[in-house]
Amino acid sequence: MVACKKPNDSKNLLPTVYVEQTEKGYQLIRNGEPFYIKGGAASTQYLEELKDAGANTARIYDTINLKETLDRAKELDLAVVVDIPMPKFIDDPEFYENVEIFDLVKARVERVVKKHKDHPALLYWNLGNELYYPYFYKITDFFSNFNILIDLIHDIDPNHPISTTTIGANKLRVLSIHRKSPNLDFISFNSFGILSRFSEKLRPIGLIWSGPHVITEWGVNGPWEAQVTEWNVPIEENSTKKAEQIKQRYHDYIKPLRSNNSLGSFVFYWGQKNEVTPTWYSLFGDNREKTQAVFELAKIWSNNKLAFDGPELDYLLLNGKGAAENILLLPQASVEAKVILPESKIQNLEYHWEIRYESWWKSHESILLEDVHFHKIANKVIFTTPKNEGPYRLFIYLRNESAYFATANIPFYILNPNNGE
């Protein structure tokens, strides 16, 4: 599964980027030099911040305005992993099993690769994100058609590797990819809470597959891995806890993988992204403000010893309760919220409060509740609860004179005792 290791026969040269096997394991070679990915799964709007933090690679999820993105990355001396979006087999098998539809997919892939294959910022192609690659025993045309795409890309562009991204560390799926698509150069993984068990889960198949790989998404626990309330919404960690978690996961899990055939990793998400909440994965806030996690990543990538001067918090309480206590409130009631701050740090903070309707696990939907009056008293706030029944979240944003902000939120449910329906 290392197709780009062989020389480019037409020029009798090694490819621009390829995977090399050494006595110590696999490594990525770019322009003749070893290249270890220190990357962010990124919004194209935050490439400059990625470079400033000390990263060397961006993972881009679509091909929209790709030429401009690659040009900007080159200016910043960033490499780019280009995702070629593909339908998930579990949702849309017809894209791989219907000849006419597949021909359209193939033509699109061909156009993208031909247009951008020679760009100096390109690192490798990622053919599909979390495709739910079918298990090897399934009867489907997916395998042969997916392999047609791999071979097509290799034929057009012998200078850059090809990978595909799977979820977690599913042994059967890894073996299926290894067995059915051997012309992929390596396998990529999105791994969040399961990252702590990544090597352990794959160890049983080590005699069959222990090849090169990239962690294409890692970071804080996903919403599906979080504790939930009685009304089934996930409880989000605050930004200070997330920064601690990202720092710990890098040192405990990502860094050790380098000696176990890892070609590098991409933290998720280098930008703003609404998924369940606007803050769950987002490493940035409004006006390009940074979370503490950005600071911790910059310390790792740049190996600096700076002290964090941004806001920090311990936790958020609503009527004296934490999120795990399943907070039920009456409509139009006066309640108090309080931010608990670290006693070890004196902070001159600005507090911004808001309430949003619960988005119920959805992406791109987090609606702000208008016309809420917050009576602020230092690290406390008094407000009147919404009049309509249902689930909400209270958010707090802390700012000081730094470029950083801190945030937390707490879910609550408005229950009208007079409504017996």
Side-chain angles (χ1 to χ4, degrees):
M1 192 178 282
V2 191
C4 266
K5 184 181 178 183
K6 60 187 178 182
N8 182 331
D9 296 331
S10 63
K11 297 180 181 179
N12 196 29
L13 296 171
L14 286 172
T16 307
V17 183
Y18 64 97
V19 179
E20 177 182 69
Q21 187 172 12
T22 71
E23 293 180 356
K24 295 182 179 180
Y26 294 96
Q27 64 180 358
L28 199 63
I29 303 296
R30 182 183 187 227
N31 297 325
E33 300 290 337
F35 187 89
Y36 180 74
I37 297 168
K38 300 185 295 182
S43 162
T44 57
Q45 300 174 27
Y46 292 84
L47 295 183
E48 187 170 345
E49 287 86 348
L50 189 61
K51 177 64 178 180
D52 289 344
N56 60 14
T57 311
R59 179 191 179 191
I60 303 300
Y61 286 87
D62 59 52
T63 57
I64 299 171
N65 299 320
L66 183 54
K67 174 64 163 57
E68 290 83 351
T69 299
L70 290 169
D71 287 347
R72 180 59 180 145
K74 183 178 183 301
E75 291 174 2
L76 294 168
D77 194 27
L78 285 172
V80 177
V81 171
V82 176
D83 269 49
I84 301 177
M86 299 291 294
K88 298 183 187 298
F89 177 79
I90 194 172
D91 297 327
D92 300 301
E94 68 270 20
F95 279 86
Y96 305 94
E97 296 177 337
N98 180 298
V99 175
E100 292 182 359
I101 296 177
F102 176 74
D103 284 345
L104 295 175
V105 173
K106 181 181 174 184
R108 181 175 61 85
V109 171
E110 183 176 9
R111 284 196 303 272
V112 170
V113 176
K114 281 184 174 179
K115 185 174 181 180
H116 303 287
K117 65 183 179 68
D118 295 321
H119 201 287
L122 177 63
L123 186 65
Y124 71 82
W125 303 101
N126 195 63
L127 188 59
N129 182 50
E130 299 182 358
L131 291 178
Y132 290 86
Y133 191 103
Y135 296 141
F136 66 86
Y137 52 77
K138 290 190 72 71
I139 307 300
T140 171
D141 290 333
F142 173 92
F143 304 117
S144 59
N145 284 333
F146 190 69
N147 290 337
I148 285 172
L149 297 179
I150 296 171
D151 291 341
L152 173 68
I153 298 171
H154 273 142
D155 288 343
I156 298 171
D157 180 10
N159 278 309
H160 298 93
I162 308 167
S163 185
T164 192
T165 298
T166 188
I167 304 171
N170 182 316
K171 297 185 295 293
L172 186 54
R173 184 154 282 128
V174 171
L175 290 178
S176 297
I177 295 171
H178 172 69
R179 177 175 176 179
K180 303 296 284 189
S181 293
N183 283 344
L184 280 172
D185 296 282
F186 52 89
I187 301 175
S188 297
F189 297 90
N190 293 344
S191 186
F192 292 89
I194 200 67
L195 184 64
S196 63
R197 298 178 57 216
F198 179 81
S199 296
E200 170 194 337
K201 287 180 68 66
L202 291 179
R203 193 172 293 118
I205 63 171
L207 292 177
I208 303 172
W209 180 86
S210 60
H213 60 274
V214 172
I215 304 296
T216 34
E217 290 179 9
W218 70 276
V220 300
N221 282 9
W224 66 92
E225 298 167 315
Q227 183 179 357
V228 298
T229 66
E230 289 180 347
W231 52 97
N232 196 36
V233 300
I235 298 171
E236 180 179 352
E237 295 277 17
N238 67 55
S239 59
T240 303
K241 300 296 185 187
K242 289 178 185 177
E244 294 170 358
Q245 191 174 70
I246 282 178
K247 177 182 177 181
Q248 176 261 328
R249 287 184 174 179
Y250 182 87
H251 288 291
D252 289 356
Y253 309 125
I254 293 294
K255 189 176 180 180
L257 283 175
R258 186 167 185 175
S259 60
N260 191 25
N261 294 325
S262 173
L263 307 178
S265 65
F266 296 87
V267 69
F268 186 88
Y269 176 69
W270 196 266
Q272 280 188 290
K273 185 179 195 295
N274 190 100
E275 191 162 333
V276 178
T277 74
T279 53
W280 197 290
Y281 291 116
S282 301
L283 293 175
F284 291 84
D286 294 338
N287 302 315
R288 311 183 86 85
E289 293 174 304
K290 305 170 187 177
T291 62
Q292 187 177 348
V294 173
F295 175 85
E296 297 298 341
L297 288 161
K299 285 192 73 172
I300 290 166
W301 291 332
S302 301
N303 195 30
N304 69 57
K305 307 298 181 184
L306 299 176
F308 182 63
D309 63 353
E312 296 179 74
L313 70 156
D314 282 339
Y315 48 92
L316 175 62
L317 297 176
L318 180 54
N319 269 4
K321 295 181 178 180
E325 297 180 81
N326 298 300
I327 302 169
L328 301 178
L329 300 173
L330 296 173
Q332 300 286 272
S334 179
V335 296
E336 179 185 275
K338 182 179 182 181
V339 185
I340 308 301
L341 303 171
E343 295 182 357
S344 59
K345 185 174 181 178
I346 298 175
Q347 302 187 80
N348 181 24
L349 299 174
E350 174 189 327
Y351 297 81
H352 175 75
W353 300 86
E354 63 185 30
I355 294 175
R356 292 179 178 270
Y357 295 97
E358 179 60 51
S359 62
W360 291 109
W361 301 85
K362 295 178 182 178
S363 298
H364 312 299
E365 183 176 339
S366 186
I367 301 172
L368 184 67
L369 192 64
E370 303 288 352
D371 301 324
V372 180
H373 175 69
F374 294 103
H375 179 56
K376 303 176 186 178
I377 311 168
N379 63 326
K380 301 178 184 179
V381 70
I382 297 171
F383 65 95
T384 301
T385 59
K387 64 180 180 180
N388 294 326
E389 280 195 333
Y392 300 84
R393 283 183 193 254
L394 173 69
F395 287 77
I396 177 63
Y397 298 88
L398 305 179
R399 296 177 174 89
N400 61 9
E401 295 180 352
S402 73
Y404 298 92
F405 77 105
T407 184
N409 68 74
I410 191 166
F412 64 94
Y413 200 99
I414 299 299
L415 189 63
N416 188 344
N418 298 320
N419 183 2
E421 295 289 327

